[in-house]
């Protein structure tokens, strides 16, 4: 019970911090009164950027929560951390590769920018595909792996939206991934140097980073409840993640000014529609299976 209490306290502190930042910091920033540099601190030639710090923090917090759930499911700690380490490495590579491929014209002219991920430019769908592949290969190649493919995916997708909710704030500090111009009360000021080409005459935009961060946090809370109270078979959490995340991503993506395109279609919208269909089919299939999740140990 003590470990469970520490886990829950960590979760609620994270959520409270999110709300405090939204209430205290954002009004000043959105009005243009405060400007946050993408660089948190400079030590000699080394720059520590908010983007990198937030990505690293999100990974650590998500891993901590996944570890606690893995203990409940009697998963070997070495298996978990090896899979997590591989997933992080190849997830970052996949996220960057996906972004580079759909911006090939720019990166072919600026090849040195390919490796500068601290400048932004990571696509979550690329990370998801890479991580799914890593989990599959690990469970197939590792002898006596203590979790199955779908069980491993559930642990990953269960905490992924929380990591996404935190990571989206990297877009805020990089002054990127904002939406179209708006005059809504929660409009966000973007300085002239950070405005997308063609939008120089506008000052206020949709804070799409915030929309997605809030949506991801809600998805995490739903999955947190589901995995502990409603899951019947492994893979159901993954199916729900694909459905819920994609439902929120579509309208948010349609507001953004920096979407990746295939012809006239936004890539993220097309992928999200496909994931909703796949997630729905997977969830229905798994709910009709007779396999039941093994009873988990209690603290």
């Amino acid at each position: 019970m003590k470990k469970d209490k520490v886990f829950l306290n960590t979760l609620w502190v994270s959520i409270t911090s999110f709300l405090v930042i939204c209430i205290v910091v954002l009004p000043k920033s959105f009005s243009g009164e405060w400007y946050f540099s993408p660089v948190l601190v400079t030590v000699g030639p080394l720059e520590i950027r908010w983007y990198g710090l937030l990505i690293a923090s999100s990974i650590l917090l998500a891993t901590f929560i996944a570890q606690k759930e893995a203990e409940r499911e009697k998963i070997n700690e070495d298996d978990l951390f090896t899979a997590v380490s591989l997933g992080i490495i190849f997830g970052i590579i996949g996220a960057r590769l996906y972004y580079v491929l759909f911006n090939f014209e720019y990166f072919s002219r600026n090849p040195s920018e390919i490796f500068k991920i601290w400048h932004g430019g990571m696509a979550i769908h690329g990370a998801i595909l890479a991580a799914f592949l890593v989990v599959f290969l690990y469970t197939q190649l590792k002898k006596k792996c203590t979790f199955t493919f779908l069980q491993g995916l559930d642990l990953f997708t269960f905490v992924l939206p929380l990591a996404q909710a935190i990571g989206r704030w990297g877009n805020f500090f990089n002054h990127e991934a904002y939406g179209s111009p708006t005059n809504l009360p929660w409009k966000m000021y973007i300085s002239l140097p950070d405005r997308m080409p063609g939008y120089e005459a506008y000052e206020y935009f949709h804070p799409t980073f915030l929309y997605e961060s809030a949506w991801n946090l809600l998805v995490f809370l739903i999955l947190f409840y589901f995995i502990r109270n409603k899951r019947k078979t492994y893979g159901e959490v993954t199916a729900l993640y694909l459905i819920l995340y994609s439902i929120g991503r579509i309208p948010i993506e349609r507001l953004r000014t920096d979407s990746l395109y295939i012809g006239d279609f936004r890539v993220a919208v097309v992928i999200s529609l496909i994931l909703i269909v796949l997630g729905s089919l997977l969830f229905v299939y798994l709910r009709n299976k007779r396999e039941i999740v093994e009873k988990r140990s209690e603290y």
Side-chain angles (χ1 to χ4, degrees):
M1 292 300 295
K2 186 176 181 180
K3 289 183 178 180
D4 206 22
K5 186 176 181 180
V6 171
F7 165 67
L8 291 173
N9 284 342
T10 301
L11 175 62
W12 295 125
V13 166
S14 302
I15 295 172
T16 302
S17 299
F18 172 83
L19 295 175
V20 168
I21 291 173
C22 289
I23 295 171
V24 176
V25 176
L26 291 188
K28 295 287 188 181
S29 175
F30 281 12
S31 67
E33 185 176 346
W34 289 359
Y35 177 86
F36 291 94
S37 169
V39 179
L40 173 61
V41 64
T42 302
V43 181
L46 177 65
E47 287 185 345
I48 299 177
R49 290 176 169 257
W50 283 103
Y51 190 89
L53 177 65
L54 288 164
I55 293 295
S57 300
S58 69
I59 291 172
L60 288 174
L61 180 58
T63 301
F64 170 74
I65 295 174
Q67 179 191 6
K68 297 308 173 186
E69 185 61 28
E71 289 178 5
R72 290 167 57 86
E73 299 185 20
K74 302 179 182 179
I75 293 175
N76 180 274
E77 192 173 89
D78 290 337
D79 276 345
L80 174 68
F81 283 112
T82 301
V84 166
S85 299
L86 292 172
I88 291 171
I89 294 170
F90 287 97
I92 292 174
I93 293 173
R96 186 59 170 177
L97 181 60
Y98 185 102
Y99 185 83
V100 169
L101 287 175
F102 285 104
N103 279 283
F104 187 73
E105 184 178 350
Y106 169 78
F107 286 103
S108 63
R109 298 195 307 268
N110 302 276
S112 64
E113 286 291 317
I114 292 175
F115 305 100
K116 297 178 181 179
I117 62 174
W118 53 88
H119 288 174
M122 305 278 280
I124 186 60
H125 287 130
I128 292 171
L129 292 172
F132 276 29
L133 180 60
V134 166
V135 175
F136 175 75
L137 292 176
Y138 186 81
T139 54
Q140 297 302 307
L141 300 176
K142 173 68 166 62
K143 293 181 179 180
K144 298 181 180 179
C145 185
T146 54
F147 60 88
T148 65
F149 173 53
L150 289 179
Q151 186 179 12
L153 286 188
D154 278 357
L155 281 178
F156 168 60
T157 54
F158 151 59
V159 296
L160 179 58
L162 178 61
Q164 290 176 262
I166 298 170
R168 275 299 171 194
W169 286 80
N171 299 137
F172 167 69
F173 287 103
N174 271 0
H175 311 286
E176 62 186 6
Y178 49 83
S180 55
T182 183
N183 285 314
L184 290 171
W186 54 86
K187 60 190 178 184
M188 177 175 65
Y189 177 78
I190 297 294
S191 62
L192 182 59
D194 296 314
R195 294 173 200 166
M196 294 287 291
Y199 291 91
E200 292 86 356
Y202 299 94
E203 293 185 323
Y204 296 96
F205 299 80
H206 279 282
T208 47
F209 87 91
L210 181 61
Y211 299 165
E212 188 163 340
S213 181
W215 177 254
N216 286 331
L217 184 59
L218 176 61
V219 171
F220 168 72
L221 293 175
I222 292 171
L223 296 183
F224 175 78
Y225 174 79
F226 186 86
I227 197 172
R228 290 203 162 191
N229 298 280
K230 297 297 183 180
R231 182 176 62 169
K232 293 183 178 180
T233 62
Y234 295 129
E236 288 180 353
V237 172
T238 299
L240 278 181
Y241 167 78
L242 296 177
I243 297 167
L244 294 175
Y245 171 65
S246 299
I247 286 174
R249 180 63 186 266
I250 290 173
I252 294 171
E253 187 67 25
R254 289 175 62 84
L255 288 173
R256 286 178 57 167
T257 57
D258 61 344
S259 297
L260 303 176
Y261 280 86
I262 298 180
D264 295 329
F265 299 97
R266 297 175 192 254
V267 176
V269 172
V270 173
I271 296 298
S272 294
L273 288 170
I274 293 172
L275 293 181
I276 289 173
V277 173
L278 292 178
S280 300
L281 292 174
L282 179 61
F283 189 81
V284 172
Y285 168 74
L286 292 172
R287 275 278 155 168
N288 289 326
K289 287 184 67 175
R290 293 184 178 180
E291 177 186 349
I292 304 298
V293 172
E294 294 181 7
K295 186 177 180 180
R296 294 168 289 188
S297 62
E298 299 295 336
Y299 289 125

